[in-house]
Amino acid sequence: MSLAAVAVLTATVAAAQNLDAGKSPAKLFADGCTTCHRSPRGLAKGRFTLTLSWFLKDHYATSSDSAKVLAAYLVSVDAPPPGAAAKPAKKPARSIPHQPKPVQSQ
């Protein structure tokens, strides 16, 4: 009987806690990803938020909520900075070919 009481008390005390609850997406990245990644930019690589959150949940995040928040953050920083796509690359200047002067007949 006492063994059952200890088991019940231990189970309630050892209930799973989400250590990521309430953390900002930047904090989640800083706590869990900076060991391998310098920056969050480019990690989403054009993936959809849903598939990225599934991947993070299966491999890195402690809960589906933190995976969703982190995926949305990675997708948001994956976009190019404003104005970067608007500026076309400059082409090198080409010299204009000169036309030969017409020969004057005498």
Side-chain angles (χ1 to χ4, degrees), residues 30-101:
D31 289 349
C33 307
T34 55
T35 303
C36 300
H37 303 283
R38 286 180 162 176
S39 166
R41 187 173 291 278
L43 294 178
K45 297 181 183 173
R47 292 183 181 98
F48 293 110
T49 306
L50 181 63
T51 56
L52 185 58
S53 67
W54 287 342
F55 173 79
L56 292 171
K57 172 62 176 106
D58 288 343
H59 300 283
Y60 299 106
T62 58
S63 71
S64 59
D65 290 336
S66 61
K68 288 176 189 175
V69 169
L70 188 55
Y73 172 68
L74 292 175
V75 168
S76 73
V77 298
D78 194 40
K87 296 180 183 178
K90 290 186 177 182
K91 294 181 180 178
R94 292 180 151 178
S95 61
I96 300 171
H98 296 298
Q99 297 292 330
K101 291 183 181 180

